[in-house]
Amino acid sequence: MRSPDDLLKRANLDGLDSNLDGSKFIWLPEDTYQGRTFFDEMKFFTERDPTESVFLECQAFLSSHFILTRSGMVKYVSRERAFSQNYTYFEDDGTVVMRSDMVSTLPMGEFRESVRIETNKNYTGGLFILDLKRAPWGCAIWPAFWTTNANWPDDGEIDILEGVHDNEHNQVTWHTLPGCYYDSSQTYSGTPVVSPVNGTIDCDSDANDNSGCGITELSRASYGPFFESQGGGVLAMKWDENGIAVWSFFRAAIPRDVVEGTPNPSLWGPPSAILGNTKCNITQYFRQHVIVFDITFCGAWAGNSYATTDCPGTCPERLMDPKNFECHLATPSSHVDAATSIVSPMDSPFSEYLDSGYNPSDTEIPLIKALIQQKVDGLDDIDKEIKEIESSLAALKARRKANKIFIRKHRALIAPIKRLPPDILSTVFLACLPVIESTEAAMTPNHPAAVISQVSRQWRQLAFDTPLLWTRIQLILPYVNCDPYYPPYHPANDEPDVTSEVASLFESVVQRLFDTTTVWLARSKGCPLSIFMEASEGAAGGFIASQLKTLEGSILMGLQKLVGLLLNESKRWEQVRFKIAMTANNHPSQLSRLLLLTPQDVPILRKASIVINPLDTPEAPMDPSFGLEPTKIWDGIRMGTIHGQALQSLTLACPKAATNLKVLQVNWAGLTELSLRPYVWGPSGRRGGSHLTADEALTLLRLCPNLKRCNLAIGNGTIPWGTPPTVWDPMPTPVAPVQDRPVCRLPHLHYLGLREDSRADSLASVLDLPFLRSFTQNCSIFWPRPPPEGLIPHYSDPEEERWRNEIPLLEWVQRFGHTITTLDFKHVGVPQHAVEKCLEDLPNLISLTIRSPFSESWNSTLPWGLASGCDSFLEKFTPRVIEDGDTVTVTPGFLCPKLEDLSLNSFLDSVPVQLVFNEASVLEFLTGRVKASLKTVPEVSRVPKLRYVSIGSVCAEAFLMGRCSLSCIDAVEADKVFREKKLAVYYNAP
């Protein structure tokens, strides 16, 4: 510190400041805040930021998130926190650094940590000089260097350095009590923020939304990126009774007297802003100030002005990403023409020697080295420029991403679903419910009803007020095998027993299901219930409980709890589907309780599906031709649960002994849907195949005059299910003629599905089905392989020839072909010509599915599993289109002119061969159908447009709009037919 005499000698006395009485004075240092002692006389402000603002941010995507704050979105930290997190520290050259949190990723609405410090000492007047290398700038940021005190606004406020966002000009502002005015007639270089009125600006903090007397500096180097790119600068405030003036100097223009430590404001020229004493009593409105440094975010200025800037998203959103607050050194933007920035080899004095064998002389080598070093040094500048461009690109991408987020969130804010009335919204909720058998219907936190109830308080209450959301009860116990056509697994003697740990796990699953079901039932509030349950009284996977003693108690106790819970609500059962493995002997059975209710217990049961896999096995194999159960344990079981008067739909797959009509007292007349698949025991305990005889099926159908859909398994029980593929002799066993049976009329039946294991008897001649539209026939027998090529087949008599060349489908088609529009059948190995004959009698067929190959499909010279082509069959479906100028003619005589859906490859693994079609035949079929469906074809011969086609090794989906994607077929023809007609065909080659 220099002495006053030294300062006086070096001062220009003509430029000394003057008091009001005209006396001269000079400025002497009083306090210095610098280096590692900078924070010693500072206190850290940790209270709520006082910069007032109001934000209301709404983020909505199923849920709503509101942020309401009346202050800057900043959390000021203590001295200890600031130093421990490196918010404040010192560089090696003594530079003091103060910054905010640049690491933490914040959730929406949380405030970012930062620092605010103020001097312990108060000042009333003085010359305040700040050497500032860098100052924060950027979207949402609001730094400030200012003076005030706790008695605000009584003792005034002076903002020396202040700005927001990417502003390039500092704003100097004064805030006071009423009565202080800025005199705009004074000499200064800045521009008033608010236009003067009668030459003055009111500094009253209560006026103009506390904008005060604000002056924007002229220089771009006073704030923001340009100030930083110039290496910062010096800010100075002179405060005495004459007024309060502020100057700012960028680094290259700092006055010499300031650099030398003898500041003389009278030599600095006009200030950027000055509050004179002509309209404001300085000593009255400004006193006892502390010096303040802070970095805040959003707030009254940065927050309220955010929407008017080019900053992405919203101010609270900007606060979330720490990358937005990383320190960076900005440079003035520049534009370089890439074409002129590339250096040509001709720019070198040695260009003519490049890429040659020239050997430089000793005097040339230093010059070449200097040229190389020059370019090496230039690489750093180029790399720096590249990084700046990449940084700018990253910033643009970030802005783009932020804009997309902004758009998405604001669109969500005005989403129509937010304005739906509760009754419509609850209907939308119900539409989200999955099918009860699906995995999505499991009663877990991922169930749609549970998810909806977690979105918001409003949705949660509405979900609880919508009891139908909770009426679908799904109970699936682990490792259950309830398929009636596969027996339970019997462990070998050397297999280890199930441990108590597994039993404990089973009990925990049951308890979870019990607790969840209790909640679901309570929330359903008395509404009708839909229940789906898969369970086994044997151990995991269908193990016999008697062989797994460890689990027996756990299983039965768990089932007792769950079954009891369901039985308590049986009067609310509307739909049930049980897939259960159980016993029918004296062994304690819990699952049978679900079946043995009375009609009074299930007054509203409308739909029931029961699949039973008995755990009772025969002691010894039986001849399947007997068609009898090994025991009578299922005889006489009365499944009273399905005897209710409200029952309309029944699916039953169970031992045949349990389907005795004398015991099964179902309200048959009330049924509109029926599916009955009883089974018998086969060899070695296997479940048998076809089940009802024709007479039994006919008797049953007479009891159900109101059926709309029916699915029955019919046969003599001679073919056990699961038998390996074998060629069976289709010759029938003689049976009584059907002509003597009375006709059974079902006036409402529109779908009939039959699973048959023989062709001994047919119901077609004794059924009257005027409304039949859809017919499915699945025949499990295999037609014999045809004789080798060139050999004439030998038949014992004409009757055998007729039976071998006619298929069971023929009689149904001859009787009902004029009404059938959908046909799905599987007759393995039937002659192709027999199928074609059936299709000729189906003029109204819209959808056709064939699930088996023809006898012509395999050749005795080919290995088992391979088939010869079936193109001749596909040709029968292909219309011939003749185009003669504007005249288009479709030649009649092709099969199924009204066809829209065709599937010829849906074969099971057990089928010995698969159909194979030539790609050219497929293309010809598709093009022929497309051409015949165009509007240029006369309506009388025009065919419908194809919707779906799946042929052999070809899978094609046909739609009217889209684009064509073909392979392995003629691309030229494809373009001509499909692209021009806008028909999409997706083709997978063999």
Side-chain angles (χ1 to χ4, degrees):
M1 180 179 296
R2 297 179 176 86
S3 66
D5 291 339
D6 186 32
L7 292 173
L8 187 59
K9 290 177 183 178
R10 301 185 59 183
N12 181 355
L13 296 180
D14 293 334
L16 294 181
D17 280 350
S18 301
N19 293 310
L20 290 178
D21 59 5
S23 60
K24 303 294 184 179
F25 69 93
I26 61 174
W27 296 98
L28 299 177
E30 179 175 352
D31 296 303
T32 301
Y33 302 86
Q34 66 179 8
R36 296 187 176 277
T37 62
F38 180 85
F39 296 101
D40 291 354
E41 296 301 318
M42 297 281 186
K43 65 180 178 181
F44 283 70
F45 182 89
T46 57
E47 299 176 12
R48 187 180 183 89
D49 183 56
T51 58
E52 290 189 353
S53 67
V54 177
F55 300 95
L56 183 58
E57 167 77 4
C58 180
Q59 175 188 10
F61 183 76
L62 295 179
S63 62
S64 297
H65 182 198
F66 296 94
I67 302 171
L68 181 61
T69 177
R70 297 194 60 87
S71 65
M73 300 187 67
V74 63
K75 179 181 179 182
Y76 292 125
V77 300
S78 64
R79 179 188 302 269
E80 293 75 19
R81 176 74 176 173
F83 277 96
S84 67
Q85 298 299 314
N86 279 338
Y87 299 161
T88 54
Y89 61 94
F90 309 98
E91 294 183 342
D92 293 339
D93 62 355
T95 300
V96 179
V97 178
M98 188 180 94
R99 63 176 179 83
S100 66
D101 176 15
M102 301 188 300
V103 177
S104 304
T105 300
L106 306 179
M108 174 63 79
E110 185 169 334
F111 293 0
R112 185 164 293 278
E113 292 186 345
S114 185
V115 178
R116 170 175 166 171
I117 59 174
E118 55 189 49
T119 59
N120 293 324
K121 185 175 180 179
N122 295 73
Y123 299 90
T124 300
L127 179 60
F128 303 82
I129 299 176
L130 173 66
D131 187 338
L132 189 63
K133 287 186 177 180
R134 302 173 65 181
W137 58 272
C139 295
I141 300 176
W142 179 5
F145 162 47
W146 49 302
T147 67
T148 188
N149 69 21
N151 192 25
W152 186 94
D154 296 22
D155 295 334
E157 174 185 338
I158 308 170
D159 300 324
I160 306 165
L161 172 70
E162 192 177 33
V164 294
H165 310 309
D166 293 339
N167 290 2
E168 295 182 339
H169 301 270
N170 179 39
Q171 182 170 315
V172 181
T173 310
W174 293 268
H175 302 270
T176 68
L177 288 174
C180 177
Y181 297 90
Y182 187 93
D183 186 354
S184 62
S185 64
Q186 298 173 106
T187 302
Y188 57 98
S189 61
T191 303
V193 176
V194 178
S195 299
V197 178
N198 297 325
T200 63
I201 303 173
D202 194 354
C203 300
D204 183 6
S205 62
D206 290 332
N208 301 320
D209 295 327
N210 191 26
S211 61
C213 305
I215 304 298
T216 301
E217 288 201 43
L218 176 65
S219 173
R220 286 181 60 215
S222 60
Y223 181 83
F226 202 79
F227 174 80
E228 182 173 298
S229 68
Q230 301 301 313
V234 165
L235 294 101
M237 178 187 71
K238 180 176 75 72
W239 169 12
D240 58 25
E241 62 270 26
N242 296 322
I244 303 174
V246 175
W247 292 262
S248 66
F249 311 98
F250 55 88
R251 185 64 59 190
I254 299 175
R256 184 178 182 83
D257 54 273
V258 173
V259 175
E260 294 179 348
T262 59
N264 191 343
S266 63
L267 303 178
W268 297 346
S272 301
I274 180 172
L275 178 64
N277 59 8
T278 57
K279 302 292 185 180
C280 181
N281 188 330
I282 301 299
T283 58
Q284 176 184 347
Y285 288 96
F286 299 91
R287 53 183 175 267
Q288 294 297 309
H289 282 197
V290 295
I291 303 172
V292 183
F293 297 87
D294 74 72
I295 305 172
T296 188
F297 310 103
C298 300
W301 188 6
N304 293 339
S305 64
Y306 195 93
T308 65
T309 69
D310 293 331
C311 293
T314 65
C315 205
E317 290 173 352
R318 183 74 176 178
L319 241 60
M320 299 168 66
D321 190 349
K323 294 180 180 179
N324 297 329
F325 304 95
E326 293 179 352
C327 291
H328 59 281
L329 181 63
T331 57
S333 60
S334 59
H335 302 278
V336 179
D337 185 352
T340 61
S341 63
I342 300 176
V343 179
S344 169
M346 297 301 295
D347 296 333
S348 170
F350 297 91
S351 298
E352 60 180 305
Y353 304 117
L354 300 177
D355 301 320
S356 70
Y358 178 74
N359 187 18
S361 65
D362 293 340
T363 58
E364 291 175 329
I365 290 177
L367 178 58
I368 294 174
K369 288 183 177 181
L371 290 173
I372 294 174
Q373 187 60 45
Q374 179 184 3
K375 298 305 178 184
V376 170
D377 295 339
L379 288 177
D380 293 337
D381 295 334
I382 294 173
D383 290 340
K384 181 179 179 181
E385 187 174 349
I386 291 174
K387 289 182 179 180
E388 291 173 355
I389 294 174
E390 290 176 344
S391 177
S392 299
L393 180 61
L396 286 174
K397 290 182 177 180
R399 288 176 58 189
R400 182 178 183 276
K401 181 179 179 181
N403 283 348
K404 293 177 68 175
I405 294 174
F406 180 92
I407 293 170
R408 174 174 58 82
K409 292 184 177 181
H410 282 72
R411 281 178 176 171
L413 184 62
I414 59 174
I417 196 170
K418 297 173 69 68
R419 300 189 299 275
L420 291 179
D423 56 338
I424 297 179
L425 190 56
S426 62
T427 304
V428 174
F429 290 170
L430 294 174
C432 297
L433 294 178
V435 178
I436 192 171
E437 297 90 350
S438 65
T439 56
E440 292 81 5
M443 297 184 298
T444 68
N446 294 326
H447 189 281
V451 173
I452 288 170
S453 65
Q454 299 300 318
V455 171
S456 67
R457 183 177 301 175
Q458 177 189 0
W459 281 30
R460 181 178 181 83
Q461 187 58 50
L462 184 57
F464 291 166
D465 292 339
T466 308
L468 291 178
L469 275 178
W470 314 94
T471 57
R472 302 184 184 185
I473 309 298
Q474 185 193 84
L475 299 173
I476 300 179
L477 274 69
Y479 306 108
V480 176
N481 173 18
C482 297
D483 194 322
Y485 300 110
Y486 293 90
Y489 173 69
H490 296 262
N493 294 331
D494 57 347
E495 291 187 30
D497 199 359
V498 178
T499 65
S500 58
E501 182 179 353
V502 177
S504 177
L505 179 61
F506 185 88
E507 291 173 358
S508 66
V509 172
V510 170
Q511 186 61 45
R512 179 185 61 79
L513 289 175
F514 180 85
D515 295 340
T516 306
T517 303
T518 302
V519 173
W520 242 252
L521 291 174
R523 293 178 180 177
S524 63
K525 299 179 181 178
C527 290
L529 299 175
S530 296
I531 300 172
F532 175 56
M533 184 175 187
E534 288 189 9
S536 172
E537 290 183 348
F543 286 92
I544 301 303
S546 60
Q547 295 177 313
L548 297 171
K549 298 297 183 180
T550 308
L551 273 179
E552 182 176 13
S554 298
I555 292 173
L556 295 179
M557 289 181 63
L559 290 177
Q560 182 179 12
K561 292 176 60 175
L562 293 176
V563 170
L565 191 60
L566 296 180
L567 293 180
N568 290 337
E569 303 291 340
S570 64
K571 293 186 181 300
R572 292 205 282 147
W573 292 4
E574 183 180 34
Q575 299 184 40
V576 296
R577 181 175 181 182
F578 299 139
K579 295 180 68 175
I580 52 181
M582 54 177 284
T583 61
N585 55 17
N586 295 328
H587 191 282
S589 175
Q590 294 298 330
L591 294 177
S592 63
R593 297 166 61 197
L594 297 171
L595 310 178
L596 304 180
L597 299 176
T598 66
Q600 292 75 24
D601 295 326
V602 286
I604 64 171
L605 184 61
R606 183 174 54 85
K607 186 174 184 179
S609 175
I610 299 175
V611 178
I612 301 175
N613 184 21
L615 297 177
D616 311 292
T617 58
E619 298 299 329
M622 297 190 62
D623 187 339
S625 63
F626 291 159
L628 300 175
E629 296 285 343
T631 65
K632 298 296 182 179
I633 56 178
W634 289 91
D635 288 345
I637 290 183
R638 299 177 61 89
M639 290 186 282
T641 300
I642 59 176
H643 294 172
Q645 294 301 303
L647 192 67
Q648 299 176 4
S649 174
L650 174 62
T651 297
L652 190 59
C654 62
K656 187 174 181 180
T659 63
N660 190 323
L661 294 182
K662 295 180 180 179
V663 179
L664 205 61
Q665 298 178 3
V666 176
N667 179 26
W668 302 108
L671 292 183
T672 59
E673 295 184 7
L674 173 63
S675 178
L676 189 59
R677 302 195 307 273
Y679 50 83
V680 296
W681 290 101
S684 302
R686 301 183 65 89
R687 271 58 176 171
S690 297
H691 331 302
L692 296 175
T693 65
D695 286 327
E696 289 173 335
L698 192 59
T699 300
L700 180 62
L701 291 176
R702 294 185 194 281
L703 298 175
C704 309
N706 295 309
L707 283 181
K708 296 180 180 179
R709 295 180 60 86
C710 182
N711 200 323
L712 297 176
I714 301 177
N716 56 21
T718 59
I719 302 177
W721 290 101
T723 301
T726 307
V727 177
W728 293 84
D729 188 352
M731 285 294 291
T733 302
V735 294
V738 298
Q739 290 83 357
D740 298 336
R741 300 171 183 166
V743 173
C744 175
R745 178 178 174 81
L746 300 174
H748 310 293
L749 191 72
H750 62 80
Y751 169 79
L752 177 61
L754 298 178
R755 181 192 296 264
E756 299 177 301
D757 69 1
S758 74
R759 33 182 295 179
D761 204 353
S762 175
L763 297 179
S765 61
V766 293
L767 290 179
D768 182 9
L769 310 174
F771 196 60
L772 184 64
R773 296 294 181 268
S774 182
F775 182 66
T776 297
Q777 189 177 54
N778 187 339
C779 188
S780 63
I781 63 174
F782 284 61
W783 255 243
R785 181 182 291 193
E789 186 176 358
L791 295 181
I792 300 175
H794 173 73
Y795 303 109
S796 60
D797 54 48
E799 184 67 15
E800 180 184 356
E801 180 179 3
R802 183 180 70 84
W803 276 101
R804 292 188 183 275
N805 288 278
E806 290 183 357
I807 57 177
L809 178 65
L810 181 62
E811 188 173 357
W812 290 94
V813 169
Q814 289 176 342
R815 183 164 175 78
F816 304 107
H818 62 289
T819 64
I820 294 176
T821 59
T822 300
L823 177 64
D824 185 334
F825 75 95
K826 187 190 86 168
H827 293 170
V828 179
V830 297
Q832 176 179 319
H833 64 84
V835 177
E836 294 173 356
K837 182 179 180 181
C838 291
L839 295 177
E840 290 173 357
D841 293 329
L842 294 167
N844 298 311
L845 196 65
I846 296 175
S847 177
L848 172 63
T849 299
I850 299 178
R851 302 182 184 275
S852 55
F854 312 128
S855 60
E856 294 85 353
S857 299
W858 63 68
N859 190 306
S860 60
T861 61
L862 295 176
W864 188 258
L866 297 180
S868 58
C870 301
D871 301 312
S872 61
F873 180 71
L874 194 59
E875 290 174 2
K876 299 294 178 63
F877 292 87
T878 305
R880 300 292 182 264
V881 181
I882 302 174
E883 299 178 272
D884 184 10
D886 296 335
T887 304
V888 181
T889 304
V890 178
T891 304
F894 55 95
L895 293 177
C896 306
K898 296 183 179 181
L899 193 68
E900 298 180 14
D901 301 332
L902 178 62
S903 179
L904 302 178
N905 69 340
S906 303
F907 302 164
L908 302 176
D909 294 338
S910 60
V911 176
V913 294
Q914 303 288 320
L915 294 181
V916 177
F917 296 87
N918 184 275
E919 289 88 350
S921 299
V922 175
L923 179 61
E924 185 178 0
F925 163 73
L926 294 173
T927 54
R929 284 282 175 168
V930 169
K931 290 180 179 179
S933 66
L934 299 178
K935 293 183 179 180
T936 55
V937 178
E939 186 173 357
V940 65
S941 57
R942 189 187 308 157
V943 303
K945 298 175 182 178
L946 291 175
R947 297 180 303 183
Y948 175 81
V949 178
S950 178
I951 303 176
S953 297
V954 179
C955 181
E957 292 185 16
F959 303 91
L960 294 181
M961 301 298 293
R963 60 189 181 88
C964 178
S965 176
L966 299 173
S967 62
C968 302
I969 58 177
D970 190 337
V972 176
E973 185 67 16
D975 282 342
K976 178 180 177 182
V977 177
F978 296 106
R979 294 185 187 276
E980 293 180 1
K981 308 308 178 184
K982 296 183 178 180
L983 176 68
V985 177
Y986 300 92
Y987 173 85
N988 295 324

